[in-house]
Amino acid sequence: MKLLAKGKNTQAISLALGITEGTVKFHITNILQKLGVSDRTQAVMTAFQRGIANL
């Protein structure tokens, strides 16, 4: 979530975490579903509002 909040793309997140881009996409999809949002921007906004993420 922190890397999403910093505006990192899938490739940058995968490199930073040492996982495949497919795994990143899988986790992002799960995050979107759990937060009840449809895109990354909404996920970051919701996470900030709920206190889940900060910079």
Side-chain angles (χ1 to χ4, degrees), residues 1-51:
M1 199 68 230
K2 287 183 181 182
L3 295 172
L4 276 180
K6 291 182 179 182
K8 302 295 183 186
N9 63 20
T10 302
Q11 183 180 19
I13 294 170
S14 72
L15 290 173
L17 298 178
I19 58 178
T20 67
E21 290 184 43
T23 301
V24 173
K25 290 177 184 178
F26 174 78
H27 288 302
I28 289 173
T29 299
N30 286 335
I31 289 169
L32 297 179
Q33 289 176 348
K34 287 179 182 183
L35 293 177
V37 298
S38 59
D39 62 45
R40 292 171 179 232
T41 302
Q42 290 178 341
V44 171
M45 297 289 291
T46 301
F48 284 145
Q49 290 171 346
R50 294 183 186 179

